[in-house]
Amino acid sequence: MTASSPPPSLIATLPGGHYTDERVFALEQERIFESMWFCAVRAADLGRPGAFRTVQVGRESVLVTRARDGSVRAFLNVCRHRGARLRTEESGEVRRTFRCPYHAWTYDLEGRLVAAPNLAAMPDLDRAAYGLVGVHVREWLGYVWLCLADDPPPFEADVVGAVVTRLGEEGLIENYGVGDLEVGRRIVYDVKANWKLLVENFMECYHCATIHPELVGVLPEFAGGYAAQSFVGHGARFGAEVRGFTVDGSQGVDRIPGVSEDQDRRYYAITIRPQVFVNLVPDHVIIHRMFPLSAGRTVVECDWLFHRDVVERGADLGPSVELFHRVNAQDFAACERCQPAMASRAYARGGVLVPSEHHIRAFHDWVLARLGPASA
Ligand code: FES
């Protein structure tokens, strides 16, 4: 028995193999995550010179740090001598240099090779040529974005411009002052599912009435399963009785000062390709960064960002955080439920997108275009 194709009125998803085949994932690493701007680190996590984080971008481990002049720098996390990983921790702090634990080649915070044992015996070693390999860096919304491409795509057009287009209104995201907000809570989720399942799930709300009772309680229009329309401009309205974007609809915390009256009591959600979800509500912002690690595993760092005063005075963030934490747990459980079945012969030709999910086709087309004929 083989599974049938969907009728013409419905649209086929990607075939199951696109969610399980490590060869497809390797192409995605090369042609998506290593070629585009990748949102990697909250800049405030690099509080002072020498603070660092290591992050996986495509096939590369990247060392992100703050240099002595206060700027953020990023390097491939590879010693230029014999290739040892310089740092294996997720985060930490050095005083002035990164010293390789193998033979002690030592690099400053700007990536220059500044010392090595018996350096005097190697007069032909051009130290300038053996510094750490740099990675392109930009800062926006308080995050450090990296690009591994030799010639990065234009940040303003590919990232900033795409956000404005999806929100449908220039300046809308600036009103939230995301770069000045403070992380009130961060939760890291280790999801046993392909990154594209997470994107598809985030893009549609056909599932909302089934698995998100708390979210539908706050945003009643999500019960109809047509929330995708609100993702491109108008924002979803809070229910009439709802006082805040909290797990029980109770009052949240102080509204972010720049949020306009028109944006008040609304929820906006957009994806920034390839691996960021942004959720905007009047008193906080929720940002997901995905780190795809294999065809079947994606780590997600989710930050809940609030106005600095709210965090500093120790306001109760619990009801606000709990709402989207439950949404995350519900979504990721659904993705993990689907992932094993992607390898089933029942899904060899994929599934179907019902009409309220048709916009996901654009995401599939975009992925296929990035991968080229090699993924067929
Ligand atoms: Fe780093 Fe030898 S591999 S110093």
Side-chain angles (χ1 to χ4, degrees):
M1 294 271 299
T2 55
S4 57
S5 298
S9 60
L10 302 175
I11 294 175
T13 68
L14 294 172
H18 278 64
Y19 302 86
T20 59
D21 190 331
E22 292 295 345
R23 291 169 300 180
V24 172
F25 183 68
L27 274 177
E28 291 170 346
Q29 288 178 309
E30 176 194 338
R31 300 182 184 181
I32 295 177
F33 305 118
E34 296 172 19
S35 299
M36 300 180 68
W37 286 101
F38 187 102
C39 185
V41 175
R42 184 76 183 162
D45 292 344
L46 307 170
R48 54 186 178 188
F52 70 86
R53 274 212 58 178
T54 57
V55 289
Q56 190 71 26
V57 181
R59 295 161 295 184
E60 298 281 5
S61 172
V62 180
L63 178 62
V64 189
T65 191
R66 194 170 291 283
R68 285 172 301 180
D69 65 359
S71 64
V72 173
R73 306 292 180 96
F75 310 100
L76 299 184
N77 187 12
V78 177
C79 177
R80 296 297 307 281
H81 173 220
R82 294 264 300 282
R85 278 268 178 275
L86 283 172
R87 306 301 300 212
T88 54
E89 318 94 301
E90 282 190 0
S91 62
E93 189 169 328
V94 296
R95 285 193 58 191
R96 289 186 184 162
T97 58
F98 292 100
R99 184 173 183 262
C100 179
Y102 195 176
H103 311 89
W105 279 32
T106 301
Y107 306 87
D108 66 15
L109 300 180
E110 289 74 33
R112 290 181 289 246
L113 176 62
V114 292
N118 307 325
L119 200 54
M122 298 180 271
D124 294 337
L125 178 70
D126 178 1
R127 275 199 280 169
Y130 280 90
L132 298 177
V133 175
V135 172
H136 297 283
V137 171
R138 289 291 302 261
E139 286 187 56
W140 188 55
L141 302 180
Y143 286 89
V144 178
W145 303 67
L146 307 175
C147 186
L148 271 60
D150 291 337
D151 188 14
F155 189 85
E156 280 69 22
D158 271 30
V159 181
V160 180
V163 168
V164 171
T165 300
R166 285 183 195 125
L167 284 171
E169 187 183 325
E170 193 138 4
L172 190 150
I173 196 165
E174 277 78 15
N175 290 354
Y176 294 82
V178 183
D180 295 324
L181 301 180
E182 189 152 328
V183 177
R185 184 79 180 275
R186 172 174 296 156
I187 300 178
V188 179
Y189 304 86
D190 194 340
V191 187
K192 304 295 185 294
N194 183 271
W195 68 281
K196 297 189 294 298
L197 289 181
L198 277 65
V199 174
E200 293 162 11
N201 173 83
F202 189 77
M203 289 178 71
E204 54 95 354
C205 207
Y206 188 43
H207 66 274
C208 287
T210 317
I211 71 172
H212 295 320
E214 301 89 353
L215 185 64
V216 169
V218 173
L219 304 170
E221 70 181 79
F222 277 23
Y226 292 101
Q229 281 86 343
S230 69
F231 289 7
V232 287
H234 75 263
R237 284 187 186 281
F238 292 4
E241 308 298 318
V242 169
R243 296 170 62 205
F245 195 76
T246 57
V247 70
D248 54 3
S250 59
Q251 186 72 42
V253 295
D254 303 357
R255 192 166 88 182
I256 296 168
V259 170
S260 68
E261 288 298 323
D262 194 44
Q263 290 168 291
D264 198 14
R265 299 181 56 74
R266 287 179 190 265
Y267 164 82
Y268 299 84
I270 56 166
T271 58
I272 305 177
R273 291 171 182 166
Q275 42 81 249
V276 182
F277 306 147
V278 179
N279 306 269
L280 307 167
V281 293
D283 60 348
H284 62 286
V285 172
I286 306 159
I287 295 195
H288 301 72
R289 282 165 289 142
M290 292 193 296
F291 295 87
L293 299 184
S294 70
R297 183 181 173 210
T298 307
V299 168
V300 182
E301 283 194 21
C302 183
D303 290 342
W304 281 259
L305 306 166
F306 296 85
H307 191 267
R308 196 171 298 275
D309 294 347
V310 168
V311 177
E312 286 178 356
R313 75 164 185 267
D316 181 10
L317 308 179
S320 300
V321 172
E322 182 63 19
L323 174 54
F324 227 87
H325 171 54
R326 287 196 195 179
V327 171
N328 285 340
Q330 293 154 350
D331 280 338
F332 299 154
C335 293
E336 290 185 338
R337 175 178 283 261
C338 293
Q339 180 66 27
M342 296 295 105
S344 166
R345 71 190 74 182
Y347 212 78
R349 296 183 184 176
V352 298
L353 298 172
V354 301
S356 63
E357 303 171 306
H358 278 185
H359 58 290
I360 295 174
R361 174 61 180 267
F363 169 65
H364 292 159
D365 289 345
W366 173 80
V367 169
L368 293 174
R370 297 278 325 179
L371 301 189
S375 71

